[in-house]
Amino acid sequence: MDLVTLWFWLIAFTFTLYFFLEGFDFGVDILRPTLARTEPEERALTGTIGPFWDGNEVWVIAAAGLMFSTFPVWYGAVFSGMYPLFVLILLALLLRGVAFEYRNQVDSKRWRDLWDWMSFAGSVIPSFLWGVIMAKIIEGLPVGREGRVQGGFAEMFTPFSIVGGLSTLLLFTLHGANFLLLRLHKDTVLYNRARTAALRWGALATVAIVGFVVMGYVTEDLFEDFGILPWVFPVGAFLTLASIWLALSRRRDTLAFTMSGLTVLFATVTVFIALFTRGEVLPSTIDPDFGLTLEETASQNYTLVLMTWVGGIFLPLIIGYQIWNYYVFRERVRPDEGALTHGY
């Protein structure tokens, strides 16, 4: 495997890990207004993701940084072409971080409610926009002859990209509900509400993802060069969604969370396989000849070699730290208890 291909798949790996990890803590905040009805329940939901959310966001920084250093032309076209969407995501993530820090600084219900809604908005916006961005990357942007994206904000929203945004929003909500089943004590009312939410949001997520796959494969014909087994990944995503319902009905919480995680993985990998098999990391909707290919957007070999050494040292360190963090804060959370022995 040459370095260009290696780094393409390492970038796919970092985006997949980011959506897997940040997806469930987005989902917990999205579910917060419908699940928590008392202050102890609000604090319990915060406690389920409190030790993890900022560490999860490291992976979006890693993905963008690696993309900038190894595929600068691709990075420039995507991030400048969809600049308003990335600015909205950045502002939402900043708002969410401030909400976590400020929520308990003033002993006032109105103050706490304000920051809870800010946290909700800071999770809904990126959950939707990441789906829009991923859909537009495989659908294509108006890339001109010079490799620059033309067009305005409205062109980011097509029926396919909107369905993509709804799919990630609903999938992350389902993933968050399944995560809560692993983090809340089973004898609490909050745990039972999370199970009910997982069943409801799972049904909606299934409809959205099936709609996205149908539009991608049939209506938009975006995966025609997908390879010899074009239906493997969408069928895999559908089977994992179906297994979530089966696992929830049998109260197999770990299996349900694993399956929603695999659905996130299948969905993200599908996007990158579609790009790789077509040989274009950003198709042009103006002229197929203007699309950006993998080779022409990559850095020079010296930079790729240097980044291989950097990535080989730091990526395992980040992964190891996060595994240790999840192990330390593994204890389940109960709304009616005080400080935990091994919890947040």
Side-chain angles (χ1 to χ4, degrees):
M1 180 184 295
D2 60 83
L3 289 179
V4 173
T5 303
L6 172 67
W7 275 106
F8 175 81
W9 287 113
L10 282 176
I11 289 171
F13 169 76
T14 53
F15 272 110
T16 302
L17 201 53
Y18 170 66
F19 292 142
F20 178 89
L21 295 173
E22 189 85 308
F24 63 71
D25 68 51
F26 280 155
V28 171
D29 269 335
I30 292 170
L31 290 168
R32 181 190 298 275
T34 56
L35 293 185
R37 297 170 189 174
T38 65
E39 177 57 20
E41 290 178 350
E42 291 275 7
R43 295 180 70 90
L45 291 184
T46 302
T48 61
I49 58 174
F52 313 124
W53 69 271
D54 49 354
N56 294 342
E57 290 183 358
V58 167
W59 287 104
V60 71
I61 299 171
L66 293 176
M67 193 173 171
F68 170 75
S69 56
T70 55
F71 296 95
V73 177
W74 184 24
Y75 171 90
V78 170
F79 278 74
S80 63
M82 293 189 277
Y83 187 73
L85 303 188
F86 285 107
V87 169
L88 286 174
I89 289 176
L90 179 61
L91 292 176
L93 294 179
L94 290 173
L95 182 66
R96 189 164 179 257
V98 171
F100 274 114
E101 298 297 331
Y102 275 48
R103 182 185 187 278
N104 295 315
Q105 297 300 317
V106 177
D107 187 15
S108 165
K109 185 177 185 306
R110 182 174 297 181
W111 175 269
R112 291 193 294 267
D113 288 345
L114 169 67
W115 290 112
D116 285 341
W117 282 108
M118 293 299 104
S119 184
F120 171 79
S123 299
V124 168
I125 292 171
S127 295
F128 176 75
L129 291 183
W130 275 121
V132 172
I133 289 170
M134 286 294 157
K136 286 304 297 179
I137 287 177
I138 54 176
E139 189 180 37
L141 292 170
V143 181
R145 185 185 301 275
E146 301 80 12
R148 297 178 180 176
V149 177
Q150 306 169 5
F153 181 73
E155 295 186 40
M156 301 298 105
F157 296 95
T158 62
F160 183 65
S161 68
I162 291 173
V163 173
L166 290 174
S167 298
T168 52
L169 175 62
L170 295 170
L171 180 57
F172 289 169
T173 306
L174 168 64
H175 199 33
N178 286 333
F179 178 71
L180 286 176
L181 297 179
L182 298 181
R183 293 286 291 143
L184 294 169
H185 273 282
K186 294 185 177 181
D187 58 349
T188 61
V189 176
L190 198 55
Y191 173 88
N192 293 327
R193 288 187 203 136
R195 176 176 297 283
T196 303
L199 289 167
R200 290 175 179 171
W201 289 101
L204 293 173
T206 303
V207 172
I209 290 175
V210 169
F212 181 74
V213 169
V214 170
M215 291 184 73
Y217 276 80
V218 180
T219 306
E220 300 287 341
D221 203 20
L222 293 174
F223 304 105
E224 56 182 347
D225 299 323
F226 201 64
I228 58 175
L229 297 172
W231 290 95
V232 167
F233 282 87
V235 169
F238 178 78
L239 290 177
T240 53
L241 282 169
S243 65
I244 292 171
W245 179 85
L246 188 62
L248 289 172
S249 63
R250 294 176 178 269
R251 295 187 174 272
R252 302 284 297 275
D253 297 339
T254 302
L255 180 61
F257 177 74
T258 302
M259 290 298 107
S260 62
L262 282 177
T263 307
V264 174
L265 184 150
F266 279 134
T268 310
V269 171
T270 297
V271 171
F272 282 91
I273 287 181
L275 297 177
F276 188 76
T277 53
R278 290 191 305 196
E280 283 186 323
V281 289
L282 188 61
S284 172
T285 55
I286 297 176
D287 188 327
D289 293 335
F290 296 163
L292 302 180
T293 66
L294 197 61
E295 287 73 16
E296 69 184 11
T297 59
S299 295
Q300 295 180 352
N301 188 64
Y302 176 81
T303 304
L304 296 178
V305 172
L306 179 64
M307 288 305 300
T308 302
W309 280 101
V310 173
I313 295 172
F314 287 102
L315 287 178
L317 288 177
I318 298 173
I319 293 172
Y321 167 76
Q322 286 211 299
I323 292 174
W324 175 78
N325 188 37
Y326 278 90
Y327 175 77
V328 170
F329 295 102
R330 66 189 181 280
E331 185 176 335
R332 287 179 181 265
V333 177
R334 183 191 296 278
D336 55 352
E337 67 184 3
L340 303 175
T341 306
H342 298 92
Y344 179 74

